[in-house]
Amino acid sequence: MFKAVKKEIINEHNKTTKSSLDFDFEYLEKKLKKSHIDIHEILDQVKKFQVAVPTWGVGTGGTRFARFPGIGEPQNIYDKIEDCAVINDLIGFTNKVSPHFPWDNVDDFSELKEFADGYGIGFDVVNSNTFQDPADGRETFKYGSLTNSSSAIRDRAIEVNIQSIESGKALGSKGLTVWIGDGGNFPGQMSFSKSLERYIDSMKKIYATLPKDWTVLLEHKPYEPAFYSTVISDWGTSYICAKELGDQAMCLVDLGHHLPNTNIEMVVSRLIDVNKLGGFHFNDSKFGDDDLDAGSINPYELFLIFNELTAASQNNKIKNLAYMIDQSHNVTDPIESLISSANEIVNSYTKSLLVDYSLLKKSQDSNDAIQSMQILKTAYNTDVNPIVAMARFENGNSIDPINTYRTLNYKKNKSLTRKNEGGSSSGIV
Ligand code: LRH
Ligand code: MN
């Protein structure tokens, strides 16, 4: 660690902010003590929190209309690892990245692993891509991948996933996320039943190649790129498939993959109760799969999701969930967005640790709706920034990461060596 951002720079900057942090922390300590909450117990848990950063998230994202890359854009997976290391050196909560294949393919994965190790960066769950055609153009996934009517094309999609597992093994990953865009744009275009049958059949062939200590995460999404029917459109379909595949198959919840007004925290609770919640793609949205910064639009929902997670973990109902960010940064510096998003996620987790779940249960059992809501709102309305900043400080990271980052002129310096080959073509990356 501290190869991307020198420790001296972080220490120097922390000197200017530590005393006001101590003031805020001591004030919060006294406030929480009145509610019989030991701030140090909370701090110890927060210091251990980790959420993985998506490699595709450090490049400027775009839409079907356009992409406006910034200066010093990462041009390859090595540049992306370096940018992810800047984020982790500054906040410490993101020491793993989630790669995407073939976007992050290299000739020598052990060399890539060694490079990342040098920055203190590991590899979390990997992602396969059968929503774009393989580079050799032999097959097209235009009419679907794992559910395509052509067995040859299904076999190719299965091969892409098995290859992603092999690449992940070389990087020390322990999981594969499978999201497919398969679906139809018009009534009658495809058989709902046949396509689901083909999906399960294809996934069984991928599942059979999973190392015993791996997990496969099924990611549902209601629409886009298909705009009439999507094969794995909701958590129920994902659950049916995960159940059919076996114990190593779990469901991944991408927050943006739910129709407007869906109660996502209840979806999380359901998947916990059926022992099939495997992980998250954290982000936020106002309309569709907007992939906006986590906690930027609906921070209370993010808190309510962690409320379900913390209650479940205190009852030993969940463990080893894969926490990952999946965002597209179209108008911000991706490094700044990922720093603030990761902190928003840690903030929501920290607030959920302030909830007295036994008091909440008593209040729920006595149907005292106002008190139940107040128990949650009291935790949510508590400014936990002093705890999260102290966790960064005690982990050796930056108290004020965005301002420390801005003193680095990082992207300006990188623009001297990184030649933007991307151009402003449209598309998410
Ligand atoms: C699909 C998705 C999926 C990724 C892709 C980049 O919308 O959320 O998780 O593969 O974004
Ligand atoms: Mn996703």
Side-chain angles (χ1 to χ4, degrees), residues 93-288:
F93 299 125
T94 57
N95 64 17
K96 284 191 174 172
V97 299
S98 180
H100 216 300
F101 303 124
W103 291 341
D104 297 326
N105 271 357
V106 293
D107 301 336
D108 183 343
F109 280 103
S110 57
E111 183 194 60
L112 176 61
K113 185 173 185 324
E114 202 179 318
F115 177 85
D117 285 349
Y119 282 93
I121 296 290
F123 291 89
D124 205 309
V125 172
V126 304
N127 300 266
S128 59
N129 176 346
T130 60
F131 49 87
Q132 295 170 323
D133 288 349
D136 61 18
R138 281 200 343 250
E139 289 85 9
T140 177
F141 296 141
K142 178 175 182 177
Y143 298 111
S145 60
L146 297 175
T147 74
N148 195 291
S149 56
S150 148
S151 61
I153 293 177
R154 295 199 301 277
D155 290 346
R156 185 62 197 275
I158 292 165
E159 194 190 306
V160 166
N161 280 277
I162 294 174
Q163 189 48 56
S164 299
I165 294 171
E166 290 312 309
S167 306
K169 281 158 66 175
L171 294 172
S173 173
K174 292 290 183 204
L176 168 72
T177 294
V178 179
W179 170 71
I180 60 170
D182 294 23
N185 277 2
F186 306 102
Q189 179 182 342
M190 62 192 317
S191 154
F192 301 144
S193 173
K194 281 303 286 169
S195 54
L196 184 63
E197 188 187 312
R198 290 183 193 130
Y199 174 83
I200 292 173
D201 179 60
S202 296
M203 284 303 304
K204 281 185 174 167
K205 292 177 180 148
I206 296 167
Y207 189 90
T209 71
L210 269 186
K212 285 291 160 267
D213 59 351
W214 270 54
T215 301
V216 61
L217 298 171
L218 311 184
E219 183 176 1
H220 58 272
K221 183 176 180 178
Y223 70 95
E224 189 207 41
F227 294 104
Y228 167 68
S229 68
T230 291
V231 180
I232 310 301
S233 57
D234 57 29
W235 73 273
T237 308
S238 180
Y239 170 69
I240 290 167
C241 299
K243 193 83 178 132
E244 183 68 25
L245 290 171
D247 296 348
Q248 290 177 261
M250 303 294 277
C251 303
L252 179 137
V253 176
D254 182 313
L255 303 195
H257 292 185
H258 300 87
L259 297 174
N261 309 326
T262 299
N263 185 327
I264 302 175
E265 56 271 25
M266 193 168 82
V267 170
V268 169
S269 169
R270 292 283 177 273
L271 287 170
I272 289 171
D273 286 346
V274 292
N275 301 314
K276 278 297 183 184
L277 180 65
F280 288 87
H281 277 177
F282 293 114
N283 48 54
D284 211 336
S285 47
K286 182 79 176 157
F287 302 103

